[in-house]
Structures are given as C-alpha cells and as structure tokens.
Amino acid sequence: GTIENLGVHLHRMVREQAGRTAEPTACLIDAQSVKTASSVPIGTQGTDAGKKIVGRKRSIVVDTLGLLLLVIVTAASVSDNEAGKQLLTQLAADYPTITKAWVDTGYKTKAIEHGAALGIDVDVVPRNEQVKGFSVVPRRWVVERSFGWIMMHRRLARDYETKPAHSESMIRIAMISNLAKRVTGETPITWHNP
C-alpha cells in the first residue's frame, strides 16, 4: 500500500545520497525473536527453543546500508530456514537486481538451495567461535544495527500487536522514520540521542 510506496521512494533517495545505485544488488537476512505482550493471541505466538523466548520472530532483509527491504513476522517457533525461504521468494520477485545475500548459521542448506534456484547466492557468515561474548561479525553487523534501530522505538521493544501483519507495518513505519531523518540530514536515532 501507501506505506510501502513511501518506504521504497525514501529508500531510493537515501541510497542515491550515499552514492549507491537506486536498486540494491546485495542484502543481509536475519531474524530476531521478541517477547509478546499479554494481549497478543496465543495462536500467533510460539517458542524459539534456541533463545528460550516465547513470542514472535521478526525476519528482515536489509540492503548493505542496513535499510529495510522486507519484513515478515511469524510465531517465534518458525525456523530461520523456513522464514528465510519465504523472504528469498519475495526478494526475487520484488528486488530482481539482488544476486547476493549474507545470512548467519541459522539458515541451512534448504534456504541456500532455494536462493540458488532463484538466482541469489546465499552466503553463510559464521561468527568467530574463538571470541567469547559479543564480537563484530563481518557483513552481519549491518543487519544487527538495523534491529537496534527497530528496538529504539518503544512500541517495538516487545510485540504488542494482535496480528503479525500489524507488527510488520509498525516495523516499516519505524524504518521509514529512520529513512526520513537520513533524507533530511537529521541524525538517525541512537542510544546517545534518543
């Protein structure tokens, strides 16, 4: 709808301001599990066994600047692999210029093969197992920063929406706010200047 059109227009403007082509050729895919509010219907939630979070999962695709291209919100029990396949299908349809995607180790052979069938080279970027705790992972830090931008919006620190589609819209609106600030030269929101 209109929100998506505004997002696409601002996205192109920000890319061109950054000296990039209007249409991206590479992207990053990742997922974030978040807790849900008590008002969220049980049927739209699940448990992310790996992270031990009961709630929903936000799976996003961003370009190499960290700007949102696609988002789907599912029960947290949906595997990264399954959500990744859905995103890759939508990515091939909506962004035919993209031929490269970086993902973490949660995305397995099926997602990689699905991407290859669509003409997208899906490359797994593992974290350095030698480093304990937090470490900056090449390429993947970009999508992690995008999740940080999303979490700066208080309403998105937890999932309060009754329908997953409403959660997706709230994430798009938050990222459009980020794009508008970039286009106008206003500093994007950070932990230091909320």
Side-chain angles (χ1 to χ4, degrees), residues 3-114:
I3 289 175
E4 288 86 358
N5 293 341
L6 175 62
V8 168
H9 182 68
L10 287 171
H11 183 258
R12 287 183 176 140
M13 288 176 66
V14 171
R15 285 187 59 82
E16 288 171 352
Q17 280 182 354
R20 306 291 181 96
T21 58
E23 296 297 327
T25 58
C27 66
L28 298 101
I29 303 173
D30 204 357
Q32 174 191 55
S33 293
V34 292
K35 293 179 180 176
T36 44
S38 57
S39 59
V40 173
I42 302 266
T44 66
Q45 301 179 54
T47 302
D48 180 332
K51 295 181 181 146
K52 297 179 177 55
I53 290 178
V54 176
R56 287 186 178 149
K57 185 176 284 186
R58 300 165 173 167
S59 297
I60 66 172
V61 179
V62 299
D63 67 10
T64 55
L65 297 175
L67 309 176
L68 186 71
L69 299 174
L70 299 172
V71 57
I72 58 169
V73 174
T74 61
S77 53
V78 172
S79 73
D80 289 358
N81 216 24
E82 203 48 51
K85 285 169 44 182
Q86 287 180 46
L87 285 171
L88 285 162
T89 298
Q90 193 174 343
L91 191 63
D94 295 354
Y95 297 92
T97 54
I98 292 183
T99 57
K100 180 79 172 176
W102 289 283
V103 298
D104 68 20
T105 53
Y107 298 86
K108 307 290 184 214
T109 307
K110 286 185 180 175
I112 294 166
E113 289 173 352
H114 187 70

